[in-house]
Amino acid sequence: MTMEIDRDALLGALREVVTVVPGRTTIPILANVLLECVGGRLSITATDLDLQATTTVEAAGDLSITLPSDKMLAAVQSLRPGRIALEPVTNRPGSIRMKQGRGQRTLAGLPVADFPLRAALVRPTAFTMSGSALARMLDTTHAAQSTEETRYYLNGVLFHAFEGNCTRPRPMVIG
């Protein structure tokens, strides 16, 4: 269960997902990120039970652990650019040692089984559109969004994709 990864790749991946981690939570595992390295790819996942963000980067080795997102980010930022080794601490189950040269950081994690993962989409769909078209759509519908904190479910915008052109749209099923 040892893994090696480039510090800058790990830092970039962490920065992508930590925005999902809630600032304050009564569920301790939600303050953690899930790190799973299999087959040369490290998958980093964060969730607040409503949103889940996952990103992958190249890494060598095998690892599966959850670590506090804020401490993990601070530890990685404190290291120099280059290769980082993450290895389990033998006398402290659920902890890892992050090593680079003579420097090292030890982080304690929580059990991987406790991390709440969302179910995979049944029929995922991918499509492309220009950024200007998306910005125009969101700008047009933004006025209809509620700003009431008590009815947070009215704060969103429904995004419905269609096959073909917009003159005669046919609904497209999205997971």
Side-chain angles (χ1 to χ4, degrees):
M1 254 184 65
T2 302
M3 180 186 79
E4 281 194 18
I5 188 169
D6 181 66
R7 179 254 190 194
D8 291 338
L10 179 59
L11 183 59
L14 281 171
R15 286 181 174 158
E16 286 180 17
V17 299
V18 295
T19 57
V20 174
V21 177
R24 293 183 183 191
T25 181
T26 57
I27 306 170
I29 194 73
L30 295 182
N32 286 16
V33 291
L34 172 65
L35 288 89
E36 291 182 307
C37 185
V38 178
R41 302 293 295 169
L42 171 65
S43 172
I44 304 174
T45 304
T47 185
D48 67 357
L49 294 180
D50 288 327
L51 297 174
Q52 178 175 307
T54 302
T55 189
T56 58
V57 291
E58 291 183 21
D62 293 319
L63 180 72
S64 185
I65 192 164
T66 69
L67 296 171
S69 62
D70 55 347
K71 292 179 182 177
M72 176 78 174
L73 187 61
V76 173
Q77 285 175 332
S78 70
L79 298 171
R80 295 182 321 270
R83 298 294 285 177
I84 298 173
L86 282 79
E87 58 188 36
V89 179
T90 53
N91 59 349
R92 289 174 48 193
S95 296
I96 63 152
R97 183 169 292 119
M98 195 179 307
K99 295 169 74 174
Q100 184 187 55
R102 292 186 298 169
Q104 64 182 17
R105 314 282 186 279
T106 302
L107 299 171
L110 293 173
V112 172
D114 292 350
F115 195 85
L117 289 173
R118 295 182 66 119
L121 295 174
V122 177
R123 290 181 303 238
T125 300
F127 59 91
T128 59
M129 69 184 303
S130 70
S132 60
L134 178 61
R136 182 182 47 79
M137 289 170 52
L138 293 174
D139 190 44
T140 305
T141 57
H142 177 70
Q145 286 179 273
S146 173
T147 57
E148 283 187 53
E149 291 181 19
T150 56
R151 299 194 307 177
Y152 62 89
Y153 50 88
L154 297 176
N155 294 351
V157 174
L158 174 64
F159 189 76
H160 190 91
F162 289 94
E163 288 186 49
N165 60 29
C166 291
T167 57
R168 297 197 53 186
R170 293 184 314 238
M172 184 168 82
V173 179
I174 298 178

